[in-house]
Each structure stands twice: as C-alpha cells, then as structure tokens.
Amino acid sequence: MTSIHLKSAWDHIRRSPFQAIAAVFVLATTFFVATMLAILVYSSSQAIKYFETRPQVIAFIKDNVTSEKISLLQNKLISDMRVKDVRYVSKDEALEIYKNATSDKPLLSELVSPDIFPASLEFSLNDLSFAESVIEEIKKEDIVDEVGFTANLGGESTLSDVVGRLRKITWYLRVGGGIYVTIQLGVSFLVLMIIIGMRMSTRKEEIQILDLIGATSSFIRSPIILEAIIYAISGVFIGWLIALILVLYTTPTVISYFAEIPVLPKDTSYLFYLLGLILLAELFLGILLALIGSMIALLRSRKNK
Amino acid sequence: MLELKGITKSFGKIKALEDINFNVEKGEFVFITGPSGAGKTTIIRLILRELLPDQGEIILAGRDITKLPSKQIPYLRQKIGTIFQDFKVLPEKTVRENIEMALAVCGVNQEEWKDRVIDVLKMVGLKKRHSLFPSQLSGGELQRLSMARALAINPKIVLADEPTGNLDWDTADLIMDLFQKINSEGRTVIMATHHELIIKKYAQRIIELKEGRVVKDTASKKEIQPKKDIESQDINKSE
C-alpha cells in the first residue's frame, strides 16, 4: 500500500520540479547551517574542556623542604574532591620545562641552574569556581612559598580569562547560532507549508474524487505527508553532505592550526561518528518539521473546504 | 437492501426532496427518473452520504446511514460502486492506475490487483487501453473506465448518476448493456437518468420524481399523483 502512496508522492514531485527544488534548497541551507553550528559548538566545547583540564594552580614549594612533607601535601591534594591531576614538578624538571620553552634561545638556558627554580605541585580544578577557596587553603600550608593561579598564556591572558572568553564565545555561538537556525527552521517550515498548501489546491479535484470513492483521510494525507518527508530527507542530506565535504576539506588545516587543542577529532572514524550523530539528529528534526508542516497545511485546507 | 423513509432535503428555501419513501430489494435494477431539478442527484448524494437529509432515515444493509459518524463514511462509500455523469476519473493516472487506486482505497491486497484489474478491464472492453491516460480516451471509454473502477471493488450496490448523460445513443446503449450485465450478476443497480430512450428500452422499475416528490413508482404498481395535480383536481371537483 505504501508503494502506491510513494508513487503518488513521487509523481507530484516530478510534475512540479521547481516547487520541489525550492523546498529542498531552503531545507538544505537550513541544515547546512545547523551542521556547521553543531560542529562549531562541539569545537568550542572541546577547547573549553582542554583549557579547563590544564594545570590551573601551581603551588611553589619553599627550598629545603623534605620530600616527606611534599608527599604529605601531595596526598592531601589527591584526596581533595575539588582537585584533579596532581603532579609534582622537581627543580630539575622545572629546569627542563624552562629549557624546552626557551629552546629557540639557548643562551638563556645556559645562564640558569636548577637551584633558581622552585619545586612545585601542579594541579587542576574540577570546576573553576573552586579556585579561590583551594588557593586560600593551600597558601596556609607551611611548605608553600607562593601560589600561582594560571599559567600565563601569550603573556597577557590568564587561563581563567581564556576559559572565560571561550565560554562567552561559546555562549554567543550557541545563542546566536541557535536563534539563526531557529529562524531558518521557521522559514523552512513556512516554505514546506506553502508548497504543501499549493499541492493541496492543485490536487483538489483528485482529493474530491478519492473522497467520493471512499478514501479515508489518512489515505488522502499519506502521499502529501510522504512528499514533505522526501523534501525533508533530501534537504537534510544535501545540507549535511555539503557541511561534511567542507569539514573534511578544512580538518587538516584546522588541526594543524590549533595544534594540541583538540577542536576536531583527529581520529577519522570518530569524526564520522560525530557527523553521523549530527545527521541522525537532523533527520529526526527534518522529518518532525515535515510532519508538523504537512499536518498543519492539511488541517488548514480542510478548514477552508 | 435500501430503504428511504420520509426523506426531506432543502437547500436554503428550495425544497429539493419532500417525503421520499421507497424500498430497493437486493438484485433490483431501479431507474430514478424525472426532469432536471427533480431531485435525482440529491437522492444519489444522500445515499453516498455526501449530504445529510433534513428529515428521514436511509437504511442501507440494516443500518441508518444518516446517523453514521463522519469517520465511518469512507467505509460506507467503499461498499458502493459509484458511476458519475462527469466520470470523475483521476486525470493524472492511467486507466490501470485509476482502478488500482480504487482497490488501494478499499484496502484490497496488492497481490489481487492484477487479476481484478484484468477482469474488469476485459468486462468493460478497455483491456488494450490500460496504459492510456484519461485525456487519451473518448467519452464512452471514460464512462467504461468509471464503471470498471466501480466494479473492481466488487460492490453489492451500484449507484449511477446520469451515466449516459454525456454520451451518444450508440455508446449509451453499449454502457446500458454493461449495466444489465452487472445487474444479472446479482448486483443492485440504482440509476438516475432522464434519458427516455434508455428508460423505455431497459427499465424494470421506475421511480419518477417531480419537484422533489415521488410521482410514480412502478414497484408499487400505482402512480402517485403530484401534489399540485391533486390540488388542481380538488379545485376542479369543487368547481
């Protein structure tokens, strides 16, 4: 039975190709933007996660402190639920880090010895809101000389600034992008409704005949709803495919630009998994849009009968 | 099989039908005749539940269809084979697809479609035209397609509203032969027509309408005089 409805839907599409193209084009544009926005939101979330999980607090240890006392503080921090990724950095390791950081200027590393670098305990916070209380507590420890919150980034921004900014950008992206996609979805919805409404008008005679020979309303509705679903699936797939091509084309450049910040998955299968999830969500949304749009158009046409 | 009891129907101030009463038995061939505007089509539309009467009952297969909920109307229509004066075939579907659509509407199993389509097309003589569109058919062929569609669903009752109205005599005669054949298979046929030659040649039972009233029903073997005639006779008598 479905085949006769599918055939009817396909016949209607074939007989008015420009209406079909308009519907698919609008839907494809909407879902292209939606796919790109979903990827941008994913990337910014990944960037936030990356910065949030970097060592955020460095407790510099006074000179001549015994390793037992350092271990004691390290264990205390490990057992603290607010804190994660606790790591001890010895004076020698601190010198190594310095040397790596100044590898392009060997003269600078030659002038220093491990003695001038304090040993430290580096750790991250599960949430940046714990920063103040944790820092205050650790400052009171006898063996702690100084507490640094933040590693300097670019010499001007603290880590919290970066995270704060990223969060703001992500928020704007989500809200702005969300509003834009909602408007686009609204336009697609209206276009679908108009096209289905036009289809109903052109099929008026056919609908009357079907009604007279005993077609139920679900029988009359089926090809119209199927037609809307065909538009939605085609629009979603085309929009998603264009976004996929764009993402695949730019991924190597993006990954090399952001280096260790994992804004896009480096593993191709995971990238496809992510895009597959986006496609599924969009198909669901597209079909929902088609169903609601066609049902409203049908109800309106029945009211106007 | 079908009974109309005290049916009255008005369109605004115009009374289309007034106190219509008749029975149609299973396997009967009934002609509803009368001049244009007599109410023939209104009766067909009432039986199809396109319209609701202002008063009265229409009992079809033991059920008053005037009380049928709207959702049940399609199932009523699926049991009736209807043939229209203006054919009402789907213009964008081929002959075969038109019949298949009727079968799909009635929920006939798709495996049965092929045989049923061939059977009805053979019966109406359109087998060679199965792939043509309605615009490629003549008036007589269109009416035969309309008949094939109505018969494909294997109805117990066939309603025909002026089926020969748009056809020349020879074609109309051919169509009437088909109706006789349908009736001889045991199907009840109710045909609205004002085609006098056809009535003379084929009529078995005639229900004649005039100004919305039954003035003659050959089944009851008596002529019912129109109200006006009765009134004028009364006046003459009193004179």
Side-chain angles (χ1 to χ4, degrees), chain A residues 4-255:
Chain A
I4 201 163
H5 295 315
L6 262 177
K7 192 181 176 304
S8 293
W10 180 243
D11 283 347
H12 299 145
I13 293 170
R14 264 190 322 126
R15 281 178 197 130
S16 327
F18 292 110
Q19 281 178 18
I21 289 168
V24 172
F25 181 77
V26 173
L27 282 155
T29 312
T30 303
F31 286 101
F32 168 72
V33 173
T35 311
M36 293 313 291
L37 184 78
I39 290 165
L40 280 174
V41 168
Y42 169 82
S43 299
S44 57
S45 304
Q46 286 300 103
I48 290 174
K49 201 171 157 192
Y50 170 78
F51 285 114
E52 278 184 339
T53 52
R54 290 193 73 188
Q56 293 157 344
V57 182
I58 304 171
F60 295 103
I61 311 293
K62 286 176 182 168
D63 285 339
N64 306 320
V65 175
T66 60
S67 57
E68 287 80 20
K69 282 187 175 174
I70 295 170
S71 293
L72 212 66
L73 179 60
Q74 189 174 2
N75 290 335
K76 191 180 166 187
L77 285 169
I78 289 167
S79 60
D80 193 326
M81 299 301 284
R82 297 167 297 175
V83 168
K84 64 180 179 186
D85 306 329
V86 183
R87 182 176 162 242
Y88 173 65
V89 180
S90 68
K91 282 172 174 283
D92 290 328
E93 283 171 330
L95 177 65
E96 269 314 298
I97 293 167
Y98 177 76
K99 277 182 177 172
N100 284 338
T102 58
S103 57
D104 53 334
K105 291 165 189 163
L107 200 63
L108 283 174
S109 29
E110 279 171 24
L111 295 171
V112 293
S113 72
D115 294 339
I116 66 161
F117 291 103
S120 60
L121 281 168
E122 292 182 359
F123 55 88
S124 304
L125 298 162
N126 280 319
D127 193 296
L128 283 176
S129 61
F130 300 138
E132 207 177 337
S133 59
V134 172
I135 288 168
E136 284 310 310
E137 283 169 33
I138 209 140
K139 268 182 183 173
K140 288 173 190 161
E141 294 287 338
D142 293 340
I143 65 165
V144 174
D145 182 24
E146 229 178 288
V147 179
F149 176 58
T150 75
N152 275 344
L153 287 171
E156 52 187 33
S157 308
T158 63
L159 187 62
S160 60
D161 286 342
V162 171
V163 172
R165 250 185 241 176
L166 267 174
R167 279 206 166 140
K168 209 173 256 181
I169 290 168
T170 308
W171 188 83
Y172 282 128
L173 206 65
R174 279 182 185 162
V175 173
I179 291 170
Y180 184 67
V181 169
T182 309
I183 292 169
Q184 282 272 32
L185 282 172
V187 172
S188 307
F189 184 74
L190 284 176
V191 168
L192 262 182
M193 265 181 59
I194 291 166
I195 288 172
I196 292 162
M198 284 163 75
R199 191 70 86 230
M200 297 286 294
S201 310
T202 51
R203 289 189 63 210
K204 210 170 182 176
E205 191 195 347
E206 189 184 331
I207 291 168
Q208 277 171 353
I209 295 170
L210 286 172
D211 189 43
L212 280 172
I213 63 171
T216 56
S217 26
S218 65
F219 187 95
I220 294 170
R221 275 201 308 256
S222 296
I224 296 160
I225 293 172
L226 273 174
E227 190 182 338
I229 290 173
I230 291 171
Y231 291 148
I233 292 175
S234 314
V236 165
F237 190 72
I238 292 170
W240 176 85
L241 192 69
I242 295 168
L244 171 76
I245 292 166
L246 199 68
V247 168
L248 289 179
Y249 183 73
T250 55
T251 298
T253 318
V254 171
I255 287 176

Side-chain angles (χ1 to χ4, degrees), chain B residues 67-106:
Chain B
K67 293 190 173 68
L68 213 59
S70 327
K71 279 193 175 173
Q72 292 293 316
I73 296 171
Y75 303 105
L76 163 79
R77 291 178 185 167
Q78 285 172 19
K79 289 188 183 94
I80 302 171
T82 315
I83 297 147
F84 304 92
Q85 181 179 9
D86 56 353
F87 322 123
K88 293 209 188 299
V89 291
L90 300 168
E92 290 176 349
K93 305 253 181 245
T94 63
V95 167
R96 170 181 286 276
E97 286 168 345
N98 261 283
I99 299 166
E100 285 177 347
M101 192 56 89
L103 294 170
V105 161
C106 296

Side-chain angles (χ1 to χ4, degrees), chain B residues 16 23 25 36 48 67 69 74 104 125 135 147 156 163 176 209 223 227 233 239:
Chain B
N23 267 318
E25 296 303 325
S36 291
L48 265 183
K67 293 190 173 68
S135 57
M147 288 178 81
K156 296 268 182 293
M176 284 312 298
L209 298 176
E223 286 203 11
K227 210 177 176 182
Q233 277 178 8
E239 278 173 354

Side-chain angles (χ1 to χ4, degrees), chain B residues 15 52 89 100 105 112 135 140 159 161 163 172 193:
Chain B
K15 226 164 209 180
L52 266 175
V89 291
E100 285 177 347
V105 161
E112 292 178 40
S135 57
L159 298 181
D161 185 14
T193 184

Side-chain angles (χ1 to χ4, degrees), chain B residues 72-225:
Chain B
Q72 292 293 316
I73 296 171
Y75 303 105
L76 163 79
R77 291 178 185 167
Q78 285 172 19
K79 289 188 183 94
I80 302 171
T82 315
I83 297 147
F84 304 92
Q85 181 179 9
D86 56 353
F87 322 123
K88 293 209 188 299
V89 291
L90 300 168
E92 290 176 349
K93 305 253 181 245
T94 63
V95 167
R96 170 181 286 276
E97 286 168 345
N98 261 283
I99 299 166
E100 285 177 347
M101 192 56 89
L103 294 170
V105 161
C106 296
V108 175
N109 198 327
Q110 209 159 341
E111 288 158 11
E112 292 178 40
W113 289 9
K114 200 179 166 190
D115 290 342
R116 287 227 205 172
V117 171
I118 291 171
D119 284 350
V120 289
L121 284 181
K122 255 189 205 168
M123 187 180 180
V124 300
L126 281 181
K127 204 183 162 205
K128 285 181 182 167
R129 302 263 194 272
H130 71 94
S131 59
L132 296 184
F133 284 92
S135 57
Q136 296 167 309
L137 300 178
S138 68
E141 286 170 335
L142 282 169
Q143 196 54 283
R144 280 191 275 160
L145 168 59
S146 181
M147 288 178 81
R149 184 183 61 189
L151 297 175
I153 59 166
N154 212 4
K156 296 268 182 293
I157 182 164
V158 176
L159 298 181
D161 185 14
E162 302 275 10
T164 55
N166 287 332
L167 309 174
D168 59 78
W169 168 246
D170 288 338
T171 317
D173 206 25
L174 278 172
I175 295 290
M176 284 312 298
D177 284 340
L178 279 172
F179 273 109
Q180 293 254 294
K181 201 174 167 191
I182 294 165
N183 180 237
S184 66
E185 286 172 355
R187 293 191 178 100
T188 309
V189 180
I190 299 173
M191 182 185 292
T193 184
H194 63 266
H195 204 305
E196 281 182 26
L197 282 174
I198 281 174
I199 298 164
K200 268 183 195 162
K201 187 172 175 186
Y202 294 97
Q204 297 172 17
R205 177 184 170 191
I206 301 164
I207 296 172
E208 194 180 331
L209 298 176
K210 195 174 180 188
E211 291 172 5
R213 292 179 138 262
V214 176
V215 291
K216 183 169 123 184
D217 184 350
T218 55
S220 59
K221 305 202 190 263
K222 65 172 181 185
E223 286 203 11
I224 303 160
Q225 287 178 306

